[in-house]
Amino acid sequence: MTPFDIGILSLLAMGGLAICGLYIPIALILCSFVGVWAIKGNALLAAKMLGLAANDAISSYFFGVVPVFVLMGFLVSESGMGRDAFDVANAMFKRIKGGLGVGTIAANTIFAAITGISIASAAVFTKIAVPELRRHGYETRFSVGLVAGSSVLGMLIPPSLLLILYGLLTEQSIGDLFLAGLGPGLVLAVLFGLGTILMAIYSPGFVGRNLGDTGETYSGTELLNKGLPIVVLISLVLGGIYAGFFTPVEAGAIGTAGAFLIGILKRRLSLSALWRVLVETGMITAAICFLLIAAQMYSRMLAFSGVPAGFGAYVASADLTILGILLLYCLVVILLGMILDSGSIMLILVPLMLPVVTALNVDLVWFGIITVIAVEIGLLTPPFGISVYVIKASLDDPEIALKDIFIGAAPFALMMVVCLALVILFPPLATGLLGR
């Protein structure tokens, strides 16, 4: 049996284990170890090689960007900035037809720019926005679907944990990825907003027939008190990265300090809340470490097997255009999104596709944005859509079924497909700010 055959069998075995429910990183590590053992014929050599891969995966200074941004996201969530962003956004859009929905999208966009964790957005806005939307005449399915759809903005608008993961997997500049994600993220937010307004006008049966004003008014001073800390934090983190004052790791650390200070000044960070934030940060960071270690092992097994090189040669002989390859790739990503979580999809497909797109001189930053948008669509597709499950877990109403959330999120998944098509057809949407 050739190394290529062993690599293919390892991929098939990994897919079977994933479908059977085995935790993806464990499946990756197990199949990588067995694959290298079969290729080299030496279990000790395979163990040593995978041990080196584990060390290489998380020894880089740039890995420090993960815990600092995760910690900042949790501090922002705990300090109540999600509620503040919601109040400010709704004050701006309440006079528009469907304005409360647009305000929810705007608030999620703001929240995404200071957290980068879509799960946090889904959990926060399920508690904040869904009761308000329903109270003001919005249909239940649309209310939960709107929150599910807009929560995925946290995966695209910087800072984004998925972009950080992609940068670590492909050794691309995280600062460049953040800058490239800004344009498509805003385009997606605008598509969501316009889609909400059009649905409110032309499909009132789905959105809600008697949409009322929020009835809440805030003085200029109150809005300033709510909005100024958010603006300062976004400017500090993203402005520092884009202006070249900070590296992404330094910006995350400064943003964490800023979020902590804001939480203290607002008197919203108790000792118990701070302990909870630190524990959750440690758990997520450890999980991401495990993911990256598994991905590094998997990449090395693939390199030994020659599967990526063989796949690249097959693509070249098939005479597919870059557009054709990208469309096929996005289709596979979206289909995998129906059964796997976003991180697992990236761990499996990015190492496999990286040699192929590199050989075709594809801009890896642009490819990363395409990957993240396609993965985001999977966050809303049944049966696994993780954002949908987070919203279901956060709801207090047992009468709202998973089916209702998936149906409500369907229009937003279609808008994401439109955004994906725009980024593929017009690369400057992602790379224009980089001068490429």
Side-chain angles (χ1 to χ4, degrees), residues 227-292:
L228 186 59
I230 297 170
V231 172
V232 169
L233 195 58
I234 293 174
S235 301
L236 188 65
V237 176
L238 300 185
I241 293 174
Y242 300 153
F245 296 146
F246 315 130
T247 66
V249 179
E250 292 166 347
I254 290 171
T256 298
F260 177 75
L261 182 60
I262 290 170
I264 294 296
L265 292 176
K266 287 178 172 286
R267 297 181 180 178
R268 292 173 176 171
L269 276 182
S270 62
L271 286 176
S272 60
L274 187 58
W275 175 252
R276 183 169 60 250
V277 162
L278 292 173
V279 170
E280 289 176 345
T281 298
M283 292 176 65
I284 288 184
T285 302
I288 293 174
C289 282
F290 197 37
L291 289 172
L292 289 172

Side-chain angles (χ1 to χ4, degrees), residues 5-18:
D5 295 335
I6 294 171
I8 293 296
L9 286 176
S10 296
L11 288 174
L12 292 175
M14 184 183 60
L17 291 172

Side-chain angles (χ1 to χ4, degrees), residues 157-182:
I157 292 177
S160 158
L161 277 185
L162 269 190
L163 288 176
I164 291 172
L165 178 59
Y166 177 85
L168 294 172
L169 287 173
T170 60
E171 298 182 355
Q172 294 298 300
S173 165
I174 292 172
D176 285 353
L177 287 166
F178 281 0
L179 195 58
L182 188 59

